[in-house]
């Protein structure tokens, strides 16, 4: 059973928002030409085009939660994905964070079932080269959980539902991946999507990457 039915070529690099609407919003600000829809099966909207840096890029939504994200990463890898950045929203744990601020994950605490099912340890470390190239307001540890009202592990700046699963699935596929999240609460969701995309794109220009 496949969850993606590609209708265009996949780029070797991809941004992975969980929200299909965010994937659409990113096409308006990141692509220099008219992108083609890569996938619409199961409502997982994805697009491929030439990004503003002149190289092919795919933006593919993963859907909500770790299980869906893990499936999408695995299927993209089978289609030729070679590096990726998970982007999306997260809930603040650290009270000093403000809505709309971007956090680059230096590690993700695995409090979710999907990453554990993939054999993840308690703490997943994203690719160092990709992470160093992200443009963020803060960097630090995130946590991933199964439900929004679950308590994240101690030490995390913020928590979400997908980052640990994306990193675990990428590690299983032996492709580099990183995570950039925006703190929930910003009034302008399209503006946040633009900041996420522009903050993550420099990382995907990185060619020398290694699995941490």
């Amino acid at each position: 059973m496949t969850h993606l039915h590609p209708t265009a070529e996949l780029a070797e690099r991809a941004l992975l928002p969980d929200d299909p609407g965010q994937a659409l919003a990113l096409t308006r600000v990141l692509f220099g030409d008219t992108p083609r829809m890569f996938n619409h099966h199961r409502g997982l909207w994805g697009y491929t085009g030439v990004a503003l840096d002149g190289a092919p890029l795919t933006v593919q939504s993963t859907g909500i939660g770790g299980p869906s994200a893990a499936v999408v990463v695995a299927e993209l890898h089978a289609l030729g994905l070679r590096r990726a950045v998970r982007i999306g929203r997260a809930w603040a744990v650290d009270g000093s964070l403000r809505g709309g601020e971007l956090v680059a994950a230096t590690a993700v605490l695995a409090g979710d079932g999907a990453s554990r099912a993939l054999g993840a340890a308690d703490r997943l470390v994203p690719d160092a080269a990709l992470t160093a190239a992200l443009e963020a307001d803060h960097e630090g540890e995130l946590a991933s959980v199964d439900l929004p009202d679950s308590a994240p592990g101690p030490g995390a700046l913020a928590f979400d539902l997908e980052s640990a699963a994306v990193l675990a699935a990428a590690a299983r596929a032996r492709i580099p991946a990183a995570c950039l999240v925006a703190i929930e609460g910003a009034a302008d969701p399209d503006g946040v999507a633009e900041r996420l995309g522009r903050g993550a794109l420099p990382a995907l220009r990185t060619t020398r990457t290694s699995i941490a």
Side-chain angles (χ1 to χ4, degrees):
M1 179 183 296
T2 58
H3 293 74
L4 302 179
H5 289 177
T7 58
E9 292 294 319
L10 171 74
E12 290 191 351
R13 59 182 191 157
L15 293 175
L16 304 177
D18 52 279
D19 180 6
Q22 195 171 76
L24 176 60
L26 285 167
T27 67
R28 300 172 182 148
V29 297
L30 292 185
F31 289 111
D33 66 351
T34 302
R36 295 183 61 194
M37 179 162 265
F38 172 74
N39 179 76
H40 59 80
H41 189 55
R42 293 179 178 263
L44 297 170
W45 297 347
Y47 305 86
T48 293
V50 176
L52 297 177
D53 61 4
L57 173 70
T58 293
V59 177
Q60 175 59 55
S61 59
T62 64
I64 191 168
S68 180
V71 168
V72 169
V73 171
E75 292 191 8
L76 290 175
H77 172 250
L79 292 167
L81 182 67
R82 294 297 174 262
R83 60 191 185 277
V85 176
R86 177 285 196 274
I87 59 173
R89 299 289 193 122
W91 296 276
V93 177
D94 186 322
S96 68
L97 297 177
R98 297 292 177 261
E101 289 186 322
L102 303 188
V103 179
T106 56
V108 179
L109 306 176
D112 65 310
S115 65
R116 292 309 184 92
L118 291 170
D122 292 343
R123 185 173 179 271
L124 297 100
V125 179
D127 181 81
L130 290 180
T131 302
L134 295 173
E135 297 180 357
D137 302 305
H138 309 275
E139 60 178 33
E141 292 193 349
L142 302 179
S144 286
V145 295
D146 287 323
L147 297 169
D149 58 357
S150 299
L157 293 179
F159 69 100
D160 69 2
L161 307 180
E162 295 87 16
S163 288
V166 168
L167 292 184
R172 177 179 253 195
R174 301 195 59 78
I175 59 173
C179 301
L180 180 68
V181 297
I183 299 302
E184 283 280 4
D188 179 9
D190 285 345
V192 171
E194 180 175 354
R195 286 202 70 211
L196 281 166
R198 293 187 183 276
L201 190 58
L204 290 175
R205 296 191 193 111
T206 304
T207 56
R208 296 182 62 187
T209 54
S210 60
I211 295 294

